[in-house]
Amino acid sequence: MFLFQLIGVLNYELKYIDEFDFWYSLPVILPILFFLIYISVRIQKRAAKEDPLKKEVDDEITKIFSDKL
């Protein structure tokens, strides 16, 4: 959305921002959106692996909420 607004502001030929169509910024926004989705999937796959530290933290949180200190 920032790019959409920035392109609209930089386009000095427009009298009103409403004249700027969203479709002009779509080719710029879509690659960025797909890249962010790709990074999100990669991070989630990496985080899904069993991490001993995460297991310890989850155990401690469970102990705290169950009053088994």
Side-chain angles (χ1 to χ4, degrees), residues 20-60:
F20 183 70
D21 196 3
F22 178 73
W23 297 108
Y24 293 128
S25 65
L26 200 58
V28 175
I29 293 174
L30 281 180
I32 295 171
L33 183 65
F34 288 136
F35 180 69
L36 290 175
I37 291 171
Y38 173 73
I39 289 174
S40 173
V41 168
R42 297 254 341 230
I43 290 174
Q44 183 156 358
K45 283 182 182 178
R46 184 170 294 186
K49 294 180 182 177
E50 187 62 34
D51 186 18
L53 182 60
K54 182 180 181 320
K55 184 169 175 23
E56 288 180 28
V57 169
D58 288 340
D59 290 342
E60 290 297 322

